Coordinates of all heavy atoms in Angstrom, one line a residue:
M187 N -13.5 -4.7 3.4 CA -12.8 -5.5 2.4 C -11.4 -5.9 3.0 O -11.0 -7.0 2.9 CB -12.6 -4.7 1.1 CG -12.2 -5.7 0.0 SD -12.3 -4.8 -1.6 CE -12.1 -6.2 -2.7
F188 N -10.7 -4.9 3.6 CA -9.5 -5.3 4.2 C -9.7 -6.3 5.3 O -9.0 -7.2 5.5 CB -8.8 -4.0 4.8 CG -8.3 -3.1 3.7 CD1 -8.1 -1.7 4.0 CD2 -7.9 -3.6 2.5 CE1 -7.6 -0.9 3.0 CE2 -7.5 -2.7 1.5 CZ -7.3 -1.4 1.8
G189 N -10.8 -6.0 6.1 CA -11.1 -6.9 7.2 C -11.2 -8.4 6.7 O -10.7 -9.3 7.4
K190 N -11.8 -8.5 5.6 CA -12.0 -9.9 5.1 C -10.7 -10.6 4.8 O -10.4 -11.7 5.2 CB -12.9 -9.8 3.9 CG -13.7 -11.1 3.6 CD -14.7 -10.9 2.6 CE -15.6 -12.1 2.4 NZ -16.6 -11.8 1.3
K191 N -9.9 -9.8 4.1 CA -8.6 -10.3 3.7 C -7.7 -10.7 4.9 O -7.1 -11.7 5.0 CB -7.8 -9.3 2.8 CG -6.5 -9.8 2.3 CD -6.0 -8.9 1.2 CE -6.4 -9.3 -0.2 NZ -6.0 -8.5 -1.2
K192 N -7.8 -9.8 5.9 CA -7.0 -10.0 7.1 C -7.4 -11.3 7.8 O -6.6 -12.0 8.3 CB -7.2 -8.8 8.1 CG -6.4 -8.9 9.3 CD -5.2 -7.9 9.3 CE -4.3 -8.2 10.4 NZ -4.9 -7.9 11.7
Q193 N -8.7 -11.5 7.9 CA -9.2 -12.7 8.5 C -8.6 -14.0 7.9 O -8.2 -14.9 8.5 CB -10.7 -12.8 8.5 CG -11.3 -12.0 9.6 CD -12.8 -12.1 9.6 OE1 -13.4 -12.8 8.8 NE2 -13.5 -11.3 10.5
M194 N -8.6 -13.9 6.6 CA -8.1 -15.0 5.8 C -6.7 -15.3 6.1 O -6.2 -16.4 6.3 CB -8.3 -14.7 4.3 CG -9.0 -15.8 3.5 SD -9.2 -15.2 1.8 CE -7.5 -15.2 1.3
I195 N -5.9 -14.2 6.2 CA -4.5 -14.3 6.4 C -4.2 -14.8 7.9 O -3.4 -15.6 8.1 CB -3.8 -12.9 6.2 CG1 -3.8 -12.7 4.7 CG2 -2.4 -13.0 6.7 CD1 -3.5 -11.3 4.3
N196 N -5.0 -14.3 8.8 CA -4.8 -14.7 10.2 C -5.1 -16.2 10.3 O -4.4 -16.9 11.1 CB -5.8 -14.0 11.1 CG -5.3 -12.6 11.4 OD1 -4.1 -12.3 11.2 ND2 -6.1 -11.7 11.9
A197 N -6.0 -16.7 9.5 CA -6.2 -18.2 9.6 C -5.0 -18.9 9.1 O -4.7 -20.0 9.6 CB -7.4 -18.5 8.7
I198 N -4.3 -18.3 8.1 CA -3.1 -19.0 7.6 C -2.0 -18.9 8.7 O -1.3 -19.8 9.0 CB -2.6 -18.2 6.4 CG1 -3.5 -18.5 5.2 CG2 -1.2 -18.8 6.0 CD1 -3.2 -17.7 4.0
L199 N -1.9 -17.7 9.3 CA -0.9 -17.5 10.4 C -1.0 -18.5 11.5 O 0.0 -19.0 11.9 CB -1.0 -16.1 11.0 CG -0.7 -14.9 10.1 CD1 -0.7 -13.6 10.9 CD2 0.7 -15.1 9.4
D200 N -2.2 -18.7 11.9 CA -2.4 -19.6 13.1 C -1.8 -21.0 12.8 O -1.3 -21.6 13.7 CB -3.9 -19.7 13.4 CG -4.4 -18.4 14.1 OD1 -3.6 -17.7 14.5 OD2 -5.6 -18.3 14.1
T201 N -1.9 -21.4 11.6 CA -1.5 -22.8 11.3 C -0.2 -22.9 10.6 O 0.6 -23.7 11.0 CB -2.6 -23.5 10.5 OG1 -2.9 -22.7 9.3 CG2 -3.9 -23.7 11.3
D202 N 0.0 -22.1 9.6 CA 1.0 -22.4 8.6 C 2.2 -21.5 8.6 O 3.2 -21.7 7.9 CB 0.4 -22.5 7.2 CG -0.4 -23.7 7.1 OD1 -0.3 -24.6 7.9 OD2 -1.3 -23.7 6.2
I203 N 2.2 -20.3 9.3 CA 3.2 -19.3 9.1 C 4.6 -19.9 9.4 O 5.6 -19.7 8.7 CB 2.9 -18.0 9.8 CG1 4.0 -17.0 9.6 CG2 2.8 -18.3 11.3 CD1 4.1 -16.6 8.1
E204 N 4.6 -20.6 10.5 CA 5.9 -21.2 11.0 C 6.4 -22.2 10.0 O 7.6 -22.1 9.6 CB 5.7 -21.8 12.3 CG 7.0 -22.0 13.1 CD 6.7 -22.6 14.5 OE1 5.8 -22.1 15.2 OE2 7.4 -23.5 14.9
V205 N 5.5 -23.0 9.5 CA 5.9 -24.0 8.5 C 6.4 -23.3 7.2 O 7.4 -23.7 6.7 CB 4.7 -24.9 8.2 CG1 5.0 -25.9 7.1 CG2 4.3 -25.7 9.4
L206 N 5.6 -22.3 6.8 CA 6.0 -21.6 5.6 C 7.4 -21.0 5.7 O 8.2 -21.1 4.8 CB 5.0 -20.5 5.4 CG 3.8 -20.7 4.5 CD1 2.9 -19.5 4.5 CD2 4.2 -21.0 3.0
L207 N 7.6 -20.3 6.8 CA 8.9 -19.6 7.0 C 10.0 -20.6 7.1 O 11.1 -20.3 6.6 CB 8.8 -18.8 8.2 CG 8.0 -17.5 8.1 CD1 7.8 -16.9 9.5 CD2 8.7 -16.5 7.2
K208 N 9.8 -21.8 7.6 CA 10.9 -22.8 7.7 C 11.2 -23.3 6.3 O 12.3 -23.6 6.0 CB 10.5 -23.9 8.7 CG 10.7 -23.4 10.1 CD 10.2 -24.5 11.2 CE 10.5 -24.0 12.6 NZ 9.9 -24.8 13.6
Q209 N 10.1 -23.4 5.5 CA 10.3 -23.9 4.2 C 11.2 -23.0 3.3 O 11.9 -23.4 2.5 CB 9.0 -24.1 3.5 CG 8.3 -25.5 3.9 CD 6.9 -25.6 3.3 OE1 6.4 -24.7 2.6 NE2 6.3 -26.7 3.5
T210 N 11.0 -21.7 3.6 CA 11.7 -20.7 2.8 C 13.0 -20.3 3.4 O 13.7 -19.5 2.9 CB 10.9 -19.4 2.5 OG1 10.6 -18.8 3.8 CG2 9.6 -19.7 1.8
G211 N 13.3 -20.8 4.6 CA 14.5 -20.5 5.3 C 14.4 -19.1 6.0 O 15.5 -18.6 6.3
Q212 N 13.2 -18.6 6.2 CA 13.1 -17.3 6.7 C 12.6 -17.3 8.2 O 12.4 -16.2 8.8 CB 12.1 -16.5 5.9 CG 12.7 -16.1 4.5 CD 11.7 -15.4 3.6 OE1 10.7 -16.1 3.3 NE2 11.9 -14.2 3.3
Y213 N 12.5 -18.4 8.8 CA 12.0 -18.5 10.1 C 13.0 -17.8 11.1 O 12.5 -17.0 12.0 CB 11.7 -19.9 10.6 CG 11.1 -20.0 11.9 CD1 9.8 -19.6 12.1 CD2 11.8 -20.5 13.0 CE1 9.2 -19.7 13.3 CE2 11.2 -20.6 14.3 CZ 9.9 -20.2 14.4 OH 9.3 -20.3 15.7
E214 N 14.2 -18.0 10.9 CA 15.2 -17.4 11.8 C 15.2 -15.9 11.6 O 15.5 -15.1 12.6 CB 16.6 -17.9 11.5 CG 16.8 -19.4 11.9 CD 18.2 -19.6 12.5 OE1 19.0 -18.8 12.3 OE2 18.3 -20.7 13.1
D215 N 14.9 -15.4 10.4 CA 14.8 -14.0 10.2 C 13.7 -13.4 11.0 O 13.8 -12.3 11.5 CB 14.6 -13.7 8.7 CG 15.9 -14.0 7.9 OD1 17.0 -14.1 8.5 OD2 15.8 -14.1 6.6
L216 N 12.6 -14.1 11.1 CA 11.5 -13.6 11.8 C 11.9 -13.5 13.3 O 11.7 -12.5 14.0 CB 10.3 -14.6 11.7 CG 9.1 -14.2 12.6 CD1 8.3 -13.1 12.0 CD2 8.2 -15.4 12.8
I217 N 12.5 -14.6 13.8 CA 12.9 -14.6 15.2 C 13.9 -13.4 15.5 O 13.9 -12.8 16.5 CB 13.6 -15.9 15.6 CG1 12.6 -17.1 15.3 CG2 14.1 -15.9 17.0 CD1 11.3 -17.0 16.1
N218 N 14.8 -13.2 14.5 CA 15.9 -12.2 14.7 C 15.5 -10.8 14.2 O 16.3 -9.9 14.1 CB 17.1 -12.7 13.9 CG 17.8 -13.9 14.5 OD1 17.8 -14.1 15.7 ND2 18.2 -14.8 13.7
E219 N 14.2 -10.7 14.0 CA 13.6 -9.4 13.6 C 14.3 -8.8 12.3 O 14.6 -7.6 12.2 CB 13.7 -8.4 14.7 CG 13.0 -8.9 16.0 CD 13.0 -7.8 17.1 OE1 13.8 -6.9 17.1 OE2 12.1 -7.9 17.9
K220 N 14.5 -9.7 11.4 CA 15.1 -9.3 10.1 C 14.1 -9.2 9.0 O 14.4 -8.8 7.9 CB 16.2 -10.2 9.7 CG 17.5 -10.0 10.6 CD 18.6 -11.0 10.1 CE 19.8 -10.8 11.0 NZ 20.8 -11.9 10.8
L221 N 12.9 -9.6 9.2 CA 11.9 -9.5 8.2 C 11.2 -8.1 8.3 O 10.8 -7.7 9.4 CB 10.8 -10.5 8.4 CG 11.2 -12.0 8.2 CD1 10.0 -12.9 8.4 CD2 11.8 -12.2 6.9
I222 N 11.2 -7.3 7.2 CA 10.6 -6.0 7.3 C 9.5 -5.9 6.3 O 9.4 -6.5 5.3 CB 11.6 -4.9 7.1 CG1 12.3 -5.1 5.7 CG2 12.7 -4.9 8.2 CD1 13.1 -3.9 5.3
C223 N 8.6 -4.9 6.6 CA 7.5 -4.6 5.7 C 8.1 -4.0 4.4 O 8.9 -3.1 4.5 CB 6.6 -3.6 6.4 SG 5.3 -2.9 5.2
K224 N 7.7 -4.5 3.3 CA 8.2 -4.1 2.0 C 7.8 -2.7 1.7 O 8.5 -2.0 1.0 CB 7.6 -5.0 0.9 CG 8.4 -5.0 -0.4 CD 8.0 -6.1 -1.3 CE 8.7 -6.1 -2.6 NZ 8.1 -5.1 -3.5
C225 N 6.8 -2.2 2.4 CA 6.3 -0.9 2.1 C 6.9 0.2 3.1 O 7.5 1.2 2.6 CB 4.8 -0.8 2.3 SG 4.0 0.8 2.1
C226 N 6.9 0.0 4.4 CA 7.3 1.0 5.3 C 8.5 0.7 6.1 O 9.1 1.5 6.8 CB 6.1 1.4 6.2 SG 5.8 0.1 7.4
G227 N 9.0 -0.6 6.0 CA 10.2 -0.9 6.7 C 10.1 -1.4 8.1 O 11.0 -1.6 8.8
T228 N 8.8 -1.4 8.6 CA 8.6 -1.9 10.0 C 9.0 -3.3 10.1 O 8.9 -4.1 9.2 CB 7.0 -1.8 10.3 OG1 6.7 -0.4 10.3 CG2 6.7 -2.4 11.6
I229 N 9.6 -3.7 11.3 CA 9.9 -5.0 11.5 C 8.7 -5.9 11.6 O 7.8 -5.6 12.4 CB 10.8 -5.1 12.8 CG1 12.1 -4.4 12.6 CG2 11.0 -6.6 13.2 CD1 12.9 -4.3 13.9
I230 N 8.7 -7.0 10.9 CA 7.5 -7.9 10.9 C 7.6 -8.9 12.0 O 8.6 -9.5 12.2 CB 7.5 -8.6 9.5 CG1 7.2 -7.6 8.3 CG2 6.4 -9.7 9.6 CD1 5.8 -7.0 8.3
S231 N 6.5 -9.0 12.7 CA 6.4 -10.1 13.7 C 5.1 -10.9 13.4 O 4.3 -10.4 12.6 CB 6.4 -9.5 15.1 OG 5.2 -8.8 15.3
I232 N 4.9 -11.9 14.1 CA 3.7 -12.7 13.9 C 2.5 -11.8 14.1 O 1.5 -12.0 13.4 CB 3.7 -13.9 15.0 CG1 4.8 -14.9 14.6 CG2 2.3 -14.5 15.0 CD1 4.5 -15.8 13.4
E233 N 2.6 -10.9 15.1 CA 1.4 -10.1 15.4 C 1.1 -9.0 14.4 O -0.1 -8.7 14.3 CB 1.7 -9.3 16.7 CG 1.6 -10.2 18.0 CD 2.9 -11.1 18.1 OE1 3.9 -10.6 17.6 OE2 2.8 -12.2 18.7
N234 N 2.0 -8.6 13.6 CA 1.7 -7.4 12.7 C 1.8 -7.8 11.2 O 1.8 -6.9 10.4 CB 2.5 -6.2 13.0 CG 4.0 -6.4 12.6 OD1 4.4 -7.4 12.1 ND2 4.8 -5.3 12.7
I235 N 1.9 -9.1 10.9 CA 1.9 -9.4 9.5 C 0.5 -9.1 8.9 O -0.5 -9.5 9.4 CB 2.2 -10.9 9.3 CG1 3.6 -11.3 9.7 CG2 2.0 -11.3 7.8 CD1 3.9 -12.7 9.7
G236 N 0.6 -8.3 7.8 CA -0.7 -8.0 7.1 C -0.9 -8.9 5.9 O -1.9 -9.4 5.7
I237 N 0.2 -8.9 5.1 CA 0.1 -9.7 3.8 C 1.4 -10.5 3.6 O 2.5 -9.9 3.9 CB -0.1 -8.8 2.6 CG1 -1.4 -8.0 2.8 CG2 -0.2 -9.6 1.3 CD1 -1.6 -6.9 1.7
I238 N 1.2 -11.7 3.2 CA 2.4 -12.5 2.9 C 2.4 -12.8 1.4 O 1.4 -13.2 0.8 CB 2.3 -13.9 3.6 CG1 2.3 -13.7 5.1 CG2 3.5 -14.7 3.2 CD1 2.0 -14.9 5.9
I239 N 3.5 -12.4 0.7 CA 3.6 -12.6 -0.7 C 4.7 -13.6 -1.1 O 5.8 -13.3 -0.9 CB 3.9 -11.2 -1.4 CG1 2.9 -10.2 -0.9 CG2 3.8 -11.4 -2.9 CD1 3.5 -8.8 -1.0
P240 N 4.3 -14.7 -1.6 CA 5.3 -15.6 -2.1 C 6.0 -15.1 -3.4 O 5.3 -14.7 -4.3 CB 4.5 -16.9 -2.4 CG 3.1 -16.7 -1.9 CD 2.9 -15.2 -1.9
V241 N 7.3 -15.1 -3.4 CA 8.0 -14.6 -4.6 C 8.8 -15.8 -5.1 O 9.6 -16.4 -4.4 CB 8.9 -13.4 -4.2 CG1 9.7 -13.0 -5.5 CG2 8.1 -12.3 -3.7
N242 N 8.6 -16.0 -6.4 CA 9.4 -17.1 -7.1 C 10.7 -16.5 -7.6 O 10.8 -15.7 -8.5 CB 8.5 -17.6 -8.2 CG 9.0 -19.0 -8.6 OD1 10.1 -19.4 -8.4 ND2 8.1 -19.7 -9.2
A243 N 11.8 -16.9 -6.9 CA 13.1 -16.4 -7.3 C 13.9 -17.6 -7.9 O 14.7 -18.3 -7.2 CB 13.8 -15.8 -6.1
G244 N 13.7 -17.9 -9.1 CA 14.4 -19.0 -9.7 C 13.9 -20.3 -9.2 O 12.7 -20.6 -9.2
E245 N 14.8 -21.0 -8.6 CA 14.5 -22.4 -8.0 C 13.8 -22.2 -6.7 O 13.1 -23.1 -6.2 CB 15.7 -23.2 -7.9 CG 16.3 -23.6 -9.3 CD 17.6 -24.3 -9.2 OE1 18.0 -24.7 -8.0 OE2 18.3 -24.4 -10.2
K246 N 14.1 -21.1 -6.0 CA 13.6 -21.0 -4.6 C 12.4 -20.0 -4.6 O 12.3 -19.2 -5.4 CB 14.7 -20.4 -3.7 CG 15.8 -21.4 -3.4 CD 16.8 -20.9 -2.5 CE 16.2 -20.7 -1.1 NZ 17.2 -20.2 -0.1
I247 N 11.6 -20.3 -3.6 CA 10.5 -19.3 -3.3 C 10.8 -18.7 -1.9 O 11.3 -19.3 -1.0 CB 9.2 -20.1 -3.2 CG1 8.7 -20.5 -4.6 CG2 8.1 -19.2 -2.6 CD1 7.4 -21.2 -4.6
Y248 N 10.7 -17.4 -1.9 CA 10.8 -16.7 -0.6 C 9.6 -15.9 -0.4 O 8.8 -15.7 -1.3 CB 12.1 -15.9 -0.5 CG 12.2 -14.7 -1.4 CD1 11.8 -13.4 -0.9 CD2 12.6 -14.8 -2.7 CE1 11.9 -12.3 -1.8 CE2 12.7 -13.7 -3.5 CZ 12.3 -12.5 -3.1 OH 12.4 -11.4 -3.9
L249 N 9.4 -15.4 0.8 CA 8.2 -14.6 1.2 C 8.6 -13.1 1.4 O 9.6 -12.8 2.0 CB 7.6 -15.2 2.4 CG 7.3 -16.7 2.4 CD1 6.8 -17.1 3.8 CD2 6.2 -17.0 1.4
E250 N 7.7 -12.3 0.9 CA 7.8 -10.9 1.2 C 6.6 -10.5 2.1 O 5.5 -11.2 2.0 CB 7.8 -10.0 -0.1 CG 9.1 -10.1 -0.8 CD 9.2 -9.2 -2.0 OE1 8.1 -8.8 -2.5 OE2 10.3 -8.9 -2.5
F251 N 6.7 -9.5 2.8 CA 5.7 -9.1 3.8 C 5.3 -7.7 3.7 O 6.1 -6.8 3.5 CB 6.2 -9.4 5.2 CG 6.6 -10.9 5.4 CD1 7.9 -11.3 5.2 CD2 5.6 -11.8 5.8 CE1 8.2 -12.6 5.3 CE2 6.0 -13.1 6.0 CZ 7.3 -13.5 5.7
F252 N 4.0 -7.4 4.0 CA 3.5 -6.1 4.3 C 3.0 -6.2 5.7 O 2.4 -7.2 6.1 CB 2.4 -5.7 3.3 CG 2.9 -5.2 2.0 CD1 3.5 -6.1 1.1 CD2 2.6 -3.9 1.5 CE1 4.0 -5.7 -0.1 CE2 3.0 -3.5 0.3 CZ 3.7 -4.4 -0.5
C253 N 3.2 -5.1 6.5 CA 2.6 -5.1 7.8 C 1.1 -4.8 7.7 O 0.6 -4.6 6.7 CB 3.4 -4.1 8.7 SG 3.0 -2.4 8.3
E254 N 0.5 -4.8 8.9 CA -0.9 -4.7 8.9 C -1.4 -3.2 8.9 O -2.6 -2.9 8.9 CB -1.5 -5.3 10.1 CG -1.1 -4.7 11.4 CD -1.6 -5.4 12.7 OE1 -2.3 -6.4 12.5 OE2 -1.2 -5.0 13.8
S255 N -0.5 -2.3 8.7 CA -0.9 -0.9 8.6 C -1.8 -0.7 7.4 O -1.6 -1.2 6.4 CB 0.4 0.0 8.5 OG 0.1 1.1 7.6
A256 N -2.8 0.1 7.7 CA -3.8 0.4 6.6 C -3.2 1.0 5.4 O -3.5 0.6 4.2 CB -4.9 1.3 7.1
L257 N -2.2 1.8 5.6 CA -1.5 2.4 4.4 C -0.7 1.4 3.6 O -0.8 1.4 2.4 CB -0.5 3.5 5.0 CG -1.0 4.9 5.2 CD1 0.1 5.7 5.8 CD2 -1.5 5.5 4.0
C258 N -0.1 0.5 4.3 CA 0.6 -0.5 3.6 C -0.3 -1.5 2.8 O 0.0 -1.9 1.7 CB 1.5 -1.3 4.5 SG 2.8 -0.2 5.3
L259 N -1.4 -1.8 3.5 CA -2.4 -2.7 2.8 C -2.9 -2.0 1.6 O -3.1 -2.6 0.5 CB -3.5 -3.1 3.8 CG -3.1 -3.9 5.0 CD1 -4.3 -4.2 5.9 CD2 -2.4 -5.2 4.6
Q260 N -3.2 -0.7 1.7 CA -3.7 0.1 0.6 C -2.7 0.1 -0.5 O -3.1 -0.1 -1.7 CB -4.0 1.5 1.1 CG -4.8 2.3 0.1 CD -5.2 3.6 0.7 OE1 -4.5 4.2 1.6 NE2 -6.4 4.2 0.3
K261 N -1.5 0.3 -0.2 CA -0.4 0.3 -1.2 C -0.4 -1.0 -2.0 O -0.3 -1.1 -3.2 CB 0.9 0.7 -0.6 CG 2.0 0.9 -1.6 CD 3.2 1.7 -1.0 CE 4.1 2.2 -2.1 NZ 5.0 1.3 -2.6
Y262 N -0.4 -2.1 -1.2 CA -0.4 -3.4 -1.8 C -1.6 -3.6 -2.8 O -1.4 -4.0 -3.9 CB -0.4 -4.5 -0.7 CG -0.5 -5.9 -1.3 CD1 0.6 -6.5 -1.8 CD2 -1.8 -6.5 -1.4 CE1 0.5 -7.8 -2.4 CE2 -1.9 -7.7 -2.0 CZ -0.8 -8.4 -2.5 OH -0.9 -9.6 -3.1
N263 N -2.7 -3.2 -2.3 CA -3.9 -3.3 -3.1 C -3.9 -2.5 -4.4 O -4.3 -2.8 -5.4 CB -5.2 -3.0 -2.3 CG -5.5 -4.2 -1.4 OD1 -5.7 -5.3 -1.9 ND2 -5.6 -4.0 -0.1
C264 N -3.3 -1.3 -4.2 CA -3.1 -0.4 -5.4 C -2.2 -1.1 -6.5 O -2.5 -1.0 -7.6 CB -2.5 0.9 -5.0 SG -3.6 2.0 -4.3
E265 N -1.1 -1.7 -6.0 CA -0.2 -2.3 -6.9 C -0.6 -3.6 -7.5 O -0.2 -4.0 -8.6 CB 1.2 -2.4 -6.2 CG 1.8 -1.1 -6.0 CD 3.1 -1.2 -5.1 OE1 3.4 -2.4 -4.7 OE2 3.8 -0.2 -4.9
N266 N -1.4 -4.3 -6.7 CA -1.7 -5.7 -7.1 C -3.2 -6.0 -7.3 O -3.6 -7.0 -7.8 CB -1.2 -6.7 -6.0 CG 0.4 -6.6 -5.9 OD1 1.1 -7.1 -6.8 ND2 0.8 -5.8 -4.9
G267 N -4.0 -5.1 -6.7 CA -5.5 -5.4 -6.8 C -6.0 -5.0 -8.2 O -6.1 -3.8 -8.5
K268 N -6.4 -5.9 -9.0 CA -6.9 -5.6 -10.3 C -8.1 -6.4 -10.5 O -8.3 -7.5 -10.0 CB -5.9 -5.8 -11.4 CG -4.9 -4.7 -11.4 CD -3.8 -4.9 -12.5 CE -2.8 -3.8 -12.4 NZ -1.7 -4.1 -13.3
Ligands
ZN108 ZN1 4.2 -1.4 6.5

């Protein structure tokens, strides 16, 4: 099940992650290693992004990230998988 989700996300990464991050103003954060996993605090890079969560913050949307660690994916699924 995780595998399936990961594949889907990887498909997004290949095409849209850069565009997405530029839209939210977080692309520089990725380059500067300022994006961290919301669960474990690991620095997020293109290679270890597990889940991307768009968060609506008033007028702006920003992205939160979970790394690809099984524990973090499990935590995300526990909190959000219903
Ligand atoms: Zn993590």
Side-chain angles (χ1 to χ4, degrees):
M187 197 169 191
F188 289 155
K190 204 168 187 181
K191 184 166 266 179
K192 183 104 192 298
Q193 277 182 4
M194 232 174 69
I195 290 165
N196 281 343
I198 293 172
L199 291 186
D200 287 343
T201 53
D202 289 340
I203 183 63
E204 201 176 313
V205 174
L206 265 175
L207 286 168
K208 282 177 177 169
Q209 280 175 356
T210 61
Q212 289 174 294
Y213 186 69
E214 292 218 346
D215 288 344
L216 177 77
I217 302 300
N218 294 323
E219 301 186 337
K220 286 181 180 169
L221 298 180
I222 59 169
C223 171
K224 197 166 179 281
C225 177
C226 71
T228 292
I229 293 169
I230 294 291
S231 68
I232 292 285
E233 285 77 25
N234 73 354
I235 293 176
I237 300 174
I238 300 171
I239 310 155
V241 177
N242 201 336
E245 294 171 11
K246 286 184 68 176
I247 288 179
Y248 67 96
L249 304 174
E250 287 185 340
F251 300 90
F252 280 64
C253 71
E254 64 183 355
S255 146
L257 275 176
C258 297
L259 296 178
Q260 192 174 29
K261 186 158 196 279
Y262 173 82
N263 280 304
C264 280
E265 289 174 357
N266 299 280
K268 282 178 184 170

